[in-house]
Amino acid sequence: MPPEVNREPENRIPTGMTVYDSDGQYTRLVVVNHPDESCEEFEVPGTGKTVAEYNEDYDPTGPVVQTVYRFKLDQELDDWMSLPLDDIHSAAQDVGLKTYSYPARRMKSSFSHIPERVGTYRELFCYQWARMTHLSASVNQPERLQDFLLWSNYEKRLDGEITTSSILKENQYQLKENLGVCTYCNQESETTFDHILPVAEGGVSEIKNMVPACQSCNSSKSDRNLLDWHQEHEIPMDRVVLGKYLKLRWDEFEADGELDSPVPDSIRDRWEGLEVSRRITQQIWMNQNR
């Protein structure tokens, strides 16, 4: 019996999304198809080899995505954004565009790439904040509009037109109820509060620096840097956690007069490719509306 491909919604990259290969150079690709076969089953067209045979480190049971270069798609099929998502693949084939097959886990949202124009800590925090807010505002919106919304929010935050509340709304909900879900891994579990910024690094034992976490994640993260831990475990950071983290870091850098200092490459690397989700936010919303 062939292995079951993991098709959970949070692990499936939407068709039509602009992504980049996390193992290669930053080149924008567009996801056009999700083959039903796993990496060890799907044969890359014209090669006689499966996706898994290209690299022994690939998860043989993982899902595959087929992509095309974004710039080629824009050149040869300039109306592709108006097409039904299920038609993009066949339309790309009709105009002779080559598809490239990858393990889905190698693909990262193009918004998780840190643009060159983001050079200071102020700009970095504003960009990540814009990603966080645009995540919910752009649901079911065309990608071109998503891009506009993100940069519009970025500019407004950078110019001070939009400010961060001293008490995030997620904090208020967490004070009222325990969702019974780990904020890090999204698994149902008994939870205890974990410090986003570890106490060992000066983190305070206040709700602004704490989130419910299962025992496994709490122990695993321990005093680790939040970004390093998420990247190592390849877990998207929920916007609840990201919102708190950005507020804490903003206040810290503002107090030290470092917001306009350039971001070192080592710090950019920590943020590069970080995926953001809104799973816990959705659960908070559902609990409110029961």
Side-chain angles (χ1 to χ4, degrees):
M1 180 179 295
E4 182 177 350
V5 179
N6 187 348
R7 290 293 187 185
E8 292 300 317
E10 65 187 73
N11 294 316
R12 181 179 173 120
I13 302 171
T15 300
M17 174 180 277
T18 299
V19 297
Y20 72 98
D21 177 10
S22 62
D23 288 352
Q25 295 183 337
Y26 180 70
T27 302
R28 297 202 301 171
L29 304 159
V30 175
V31 175
V32 296
N33 189 38
H34 296 84
D36 291 329
E37 298 91 346
S38 66
C39 285
E40 68 179 358
E41 297 173 317
F42 183 76
E43 186 174 296
V44 179
T47 68
K49 297 173 65 175
T50 66
V51 171
E53 288 175 325
Y54 274 92
N55 190 320
E56 62 181 13
D57 292 332
Y58 291 165
D59 176 7
T61 65
V64 175
V65 293
Q66 288 186 285
T67 67
V68 297
Y69 281 117
R70 170 67 185 265
F71 77 93
K72 288 285 190 181
L73 197 58
D74 289 339
Q75 288 175 355
E76 304 297 332
L77 200 65
D78 59 6
D79 64 341
W80 71 270
M81 286 190 180
S82 64
L83 296 174
L85 294 179
D86 291 340
D87 293 346
I88 297 177
H89 186 212
S90 59
Q93 289 180 315
D94 289 344
V95 295
L97 292 183
K98 182 178 180 179
T99 59
Y100 298 85
S101 306
Y102 297 96
R105 68 181 304 170
R106 277 182 58 169
M107 298 294 101
K108 298 285 188 179
S109 161
S110 63
F111 292 129
S112 69
H113 173 67
I114 311 299
E116 290 299 323
R117 65 187 283 190
V118 174
T120 66
Y121 282 103
R122 184 189 302 275
E123 292 167 342
L124 174 63
F125 296 153
C126 286
Y127 180 74
Q128 297 299 338
W129 182 87
R131 286 186 64 202
M132 180 186 74
T133 54
H134 117 285
L135 189 65
S136 56
S138 62
V139 172
N140 297 324
Q141 298 287 358
E143 184 164 320
R144 190 168 294 161
L145 179 56
Q146 291 184 29
D147 193 69
F148 169 79
L149 289 171
L150 184 142
W151 287 108
S152 176
N153 283 332
Y154 168 80
E155 295 293 347
K156 289 178 180 178
R157 183 67 178 89
L158 197 61
D159 294 340
E161 293 182 40
I162 302 176
T163 58
T164 305
S165 171
S166 59
I167 300 180
L168 301 175
K169 64 180 181 179
E170 288 87 356
N171 292 355
Q172 299 171 16
Y173 301 146
Q174 286 182 9
L175 285 170
K176 295 177 182 178
E177 60 183 325
N178 184 337
L179 297 176
V181 176
C182 176
T183 319
Y184 294 135
C185 68
N186 198 38
Q187 299 299 310
E188 293 186 4
S189 174
E190 291 187 10
T191 60
T192 57
F193 278 107
D194 179 63
H195 293 79
I196 296 175
L197 298 183
V199 175
E201 294 184 9
V204 296
S205 296
E206 299 176 13
I207 192 65
K208 66 181 181 180
N209 186 44
M210 303 174 78
V211 291
C214 67
Q215 182 177 355
S216 176
C217 287
N218 202 330
S219 299
S220 172
K221 177 178 168 291
S222 187
D223 290 341
R224 298 282 310 282
N225 176 276
L226 181 70
L227 296 175
D228 292 343
W229 184 82
H230 269 278
Q231 297 282 43
E232 178 183 318
H233 290 272
E234 299 183 335
I235 301 174
M237 186 183 295
D238 196 88
R239 69 187 303 275
V240 170
V241 182
L242 179 59
K244 290 189 173 192
Y245 184 75
L246 290 174
K247 182 70 171 67
L248 290 164
R249 287 304 194 194
W250 180 281
D251 290 346
E252 173 189 337
F253 277 74
E254 186 174 45
D256 293 341
E258 296 292 334
L259 277 176
D260 294 311
S261 297
V263 180
D265 289 342
S266 59
I267 301 299
R268 292 179 69 93
D269 290 343
R270 277 181 165 175
W271 284 96
E272 185 67 32
L274 178 71
E275 297 287 8
V276 182
S277 71
R278 58 192 298 267
R279 300 163 301 176
I280 303 299
T281 307
Q282 289 173 319
Q283 292 198 29
I284 290 173
W285 183 86
M286 287 189 293
N287 280 21
Q288 276 192 298
N289 290 275
R290 283 176 179 169

